[in-house]
Amino acid sequence: MSNIEIMTTGRIELGPTGRAVAANVKRLRTSRGMSLRALSEALSRAGRNLSPDAINKIENGAEAGTRKQVRRVDVDDLIALAVILGVSPASLLLPQDARGAAEVTAVGAVEAAVAWQWMWCTEPITLPEDEAEADRAVKQFLLDARPIGLFAARGDDRIPGYIVESRGGGG
């Protein structure tokens, strides 16, 4: 018989995005009159098993510095929660109010409207100060962040007013 070493981790500290997800899940769940159990059951029917206790621990993360037990949300949880709550996944990631400032993981405080524009793939969250470099950064962001074919049936439509015909076969 071998010895099994169980590794434990320290306290989970959520960043600003984790706290925003926690607050938005709680806000949306309660605004829909859903109990923790009702949300858990809806998630289970959708193929994502999160117990009422797990959802409670997710929501506990809304309070910065909380002493309560918290649970992180992985990307599959995020998508399932968004589907069941009837919102875009983006709606869970940032504060609901686009006025004022928002804390964004890896960036810090930015104008909330800028954070939402970034989330909607309309502009990068940060830009170089040089105008020419900023213009290139915006174009590259649009090419990298947006899917081809979202706005037009033909060609590469990721940059408004700049349609590039698709290259290669297929389609």
Side-chain angles (χ1 to χ4, degrees):
M1 187 177 264
S2 65
N3 289 337
I4 299 174
E5 183 177 341
I6 299 175
M7 296 180 63
T8 60
T9 60
R11 183 163 175 68
I12 295 174
E13 293 295 330
L14 296 180
T17 305
R19 287 192 303 275
V21 169
N24 285 323
V25 167
K26 185 172 189 172
R27 174 182 60 81
L28 291 164
R29 178 185 62 78
T30 57
S31 74
R32 283 152 178 72
M34 295 179 85
S35 65
L36 292 168
R37 180 170 305 285
L39 179 55
S40 173
E41 289 170 355
L43 287 163
S44 291
R45 285 191 300 274
R48 193 73 185 163
N49 294 319
L50 288 175
S51 69
D53 184 56
I55 297 166
N56 186 53
K57 287 176 181 174
I58 289 168
E59 292 180 358
N60 284 345
E63 303 169 26
T66 184
R67 304 298 298 164
K68 298 176 185 175
Q69 288 188 323
V70 297
R71 181 186 186 282
R72 291 182 184 269
V73 174
D74 70 25
V75 292
D76 293 313
D77 295 339
L78 183 83
I79 297 298
L81 286 162
V83 168
I84 298 305
L85 293 169
V87 297
S88 163
S91 300
L92 298 177
L93 295 169
L94 292 173
Q96 179 189 24
D97 194 342
R99 299 167 294 187
E103 284 286 322
V104 177
T105 301
V107 178
V110 297
E111 289 181 42
V114 169
W116 276 105
Q117 290 167 341
W118 167 67
M119 190 66 65
W120 292 336
C121 300
T122 59
E123 70 177 53
I125 194 142
T126 60
L127 285 171
E129 290 194 26
D130 178 75
E131 191 173 330
E133 285 183 36
D135 186 52
R136 279 192 295 278
V138 168
K139 285 180 181 171
Q140 191 62 52
F141 172 80
L142 295 175
L143 288 171
D144 293 341
R146 290 180 170 179
I148 296 170
L150 185 61
F151 303 109
R154 293 183 44 122
D156 185 341
D157 59 347
R158 294 172 289 178
I159 300 176
Y162 185 74
I163 306 256
V164 178
E165 287 300 316
S166 297
R167 295 180 210 153

